[in-house]
DNA sequence: GTCTATATGGCGATAGAC
DNA sequence: GTCTATCGCCATATAGAC
């Protein structure tokens, strides 16, 4: 069941505002309004803006680097693993379309906020590298640099969220396309594109 | 030859600071210092921060949506066109690694800044869609949704710039990789990945 | 055109009553 | 724990001398 303590109300409000506007764009007053409390209470619970922001950032980071590592230890083919990863990742992001820009933009503003949070992150690229190399040995996936392959997959999943406002305007004004249709097809198209670049003789099924 | 009028010095300084820190993170004092002039002069030439920012944004937008449309009208194969696009685009961005985040982040903060700038942008996705469709008819590229294909190509080119600080830390701390090596190989790996997903029976050459 | 000095407002943070 | 009132700073913007 939901905890509706004051501290929790503040955190939820802060998540909403910080993720939308970033550390520098957010206003403590706006967060207080959103939480339905007074501005002074923010400082009572979190001392200052920086500390409140860090709480939101860490929570957000854990959410965007989801616990998907178990996908790669399951007993399924590499094709199914990649498929499942892409589907799960896009599904996780869909309810929080602001998260990717928030994380990347704040990481760029102040990379030091990453240091603490990376430890407890559940990112283990070394293990995935081993898996990919072994699958290449077996001929199950096309030979390529594993680091680039991982970045490629993540790029294709995340970029449409990052560029959403720009993409929507371009589609509407320059192509006469409905952005909703685009985003509805996105998961399937992403999966097929990746698998064509990765699986030998891949045919859509 | 270089124009070194005061107005130009201001614009160059503003580009540097705004692209690094964004509209909300930038300080008029810092821009004045960078330009080697007084803060009041900024207002003399550009009235207010918003107008100075818009000048920088429009200049930046034109730079990131480069005049690459002529690539698609050249008399070369579709494979060469895609190859050339990826190479040119990454090469254009390399001297300005902050540009992609600046454009996308500011577009999200206030999408209305896009309206004016999109008109004179040289983005003509409809023409590229026609080209892609015709190449699919001929069997030169694998059948897929042209809108997604265009987004995929741009995603793979741009994302590594957007995520650079995060990627560098992950590579150093979690993989023991040298980020420089990664970015040196990036162009070739991107090209091959895309061509495998697009060209029937593509073999690296 | 370029400067110094100053006005004006907003925001993070604190004091202190309840 | 929660509120009202207020402090102090900093950033944008303007006034006015040169």
């Amino acid at each position: 069941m939901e905890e509706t303590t004051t501290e929790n109300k503040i955190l939820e409000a802060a998540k909403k505002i910080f993720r939308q506007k970033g550390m520098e764009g957010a206003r403590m007053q706006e967060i207080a309004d959103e939480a339905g409390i007074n501005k002074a209470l923010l400082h009572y619970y979190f001392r200052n803006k920086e500390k409140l922001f860090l709480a939101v950032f860490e929570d957000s980071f854990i959410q965007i680097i989801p616990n998907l590592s178990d996908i790669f230890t399951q007993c399924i083919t590499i094709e199914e693993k990649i498929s499942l990863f892409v589907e799960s990742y896009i599904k996780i992001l869909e309810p929080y379309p602001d998260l990717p820009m928030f994380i990347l933009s704040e990481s760029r503003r102040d990379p030091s906020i990453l240091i603490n949070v990376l430890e407890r992150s559940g990112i283990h690229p070394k293990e995935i590298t081993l898996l990919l190399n072994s699958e290449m040995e077996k001929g199950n996936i096309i030979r390529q640099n594993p680091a680039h392959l991982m970045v490629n997959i993540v790029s294709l999943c995340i970029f449409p969220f990052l560029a959403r406002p720009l993409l929507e305007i371009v589609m509407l004004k320059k192509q006469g396309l409905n952005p909703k249709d685009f985003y509805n097809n996105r998961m399937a198209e992403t999966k097929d594109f990746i698998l064509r670049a990765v699986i030998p003789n891949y045919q859509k099924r």
Side-chain angles (χ1 to χ4, degrees), chain A:
Chain A
M1 67 198 169
E2 273 297 328
E3 289 253 27
T4 53
T5 61
T6 302
E7 181 166 348
N8 228 304
K9 280 195 301 186
I10 291 175
L11 248 172
E12 288 306 311
K15 280 192 217 170
K16 182 175 169 187
I17 304 299
F18 273 130
R19 287 174 184 176
Q20 228 173 74
K21 313 208 168 176
M23 165 70 176
E24 289 162 336
R27 296 289 158 249
M28 294 296 266
Q29 184 61 60
E30 206 179 352
I31 295 173
D33 293 348
E34 178 72 29
I37 51 124
N38 191 277
K39 204 173 47 159
L41 262 191
L42 300 181
H43 292 87
Y44 176 79
Y45 280 97
F46 290 89
R47 237 184 83 84
N48 59 35
K49 188 182 182 183
E50 175 77 10
K51 289 209 189 345
L52 179 55
F53 166 78
L54 281 177
V56 171
F57 184 82
E58 295 186 10
D59 182 285
S60 304
F61 195 85
I62 288 161
Q63 201 154 355
I64 207 183
I65 310 291
N67 199 1
L68 292 177
S69 26
D70 43 340
I71 286 179
F72 293 101
T73 62
Q74 283 182 40
C75 250
I76 51 179
T77 66
I78 184 69
E79 175 177 337
E80 287 166 324
K81 286 177 188 174
I82 293 175
S83 242
L84 198 55
F85 177 87
V86 171
E87 283 174 16
S88 311
Y89 203 28
I90 292 181
K91 258 188 213 138
I92 286 170
L93 292 180
E94 262 165 4
Y96 309 97
D98 289 338
L99 263 186
M101 178 57 85
F102 174 66
I103 298 293
L104 294 184
S105 169
E106 299 300 330
S107 301
R108 178 169 287 257
R109 181 181 61 82
D110 177 10
S112 71
I113 60 179
L114 285 170
I115 300 171
N116 295 320
V117 102
L118 252 185
E119 314 289 331
R120 301 162 288 146
S121 69
I123 307 185
H124 303 298
K126 266 187 171 169
E127 295 172 18
I128 301 174
T129 303
L130 287 176
L131 169 69
L132 292 172
N133 278 328
S134 121
E135 296 289 339
M136 288 184 214
E137 288 298 328
K138 294 186 215 154
N140 292 335
I141 59 181
I142 297 167
R143 233 170 244 291
Q144 54 198 292
N145 183 314
H148 287 276
L149 174 51
M150 288 187 274
V151 170
N152 290 343
I153 292 174
V154 174
S155 299
L156 291 165
C157 291
I158 294 183
F159 184 83
F161 290 95
L162 298 171
R164 188 160 206 155
L166 178 57
L167 287 179
E168 284 187 349
I169 291 185
V170 170
M171 284 190 253
L172 283 170
K173 301 231 166 177
K174 292 278 184 170
Q175 300 193 75
L177 288 181
N178 184 352
K180 264 196 175 159
D181 294 338
F182 177 87
Y183 282 96
N184 283 339
N185 297 333
R186 183 64 199 163
M187 188 190 296
E189 291 284 337
T190 305
K191 227 175 53 184
D192 278 336
F193 189 86
I194 292 171
L195 292 179
R196 280 200 302 274
V198 170
I199 306 293
N201 308 311
Y202 171 74
Q203 299 299 334
K204 195 193 291 198
R205 306 180 227 296

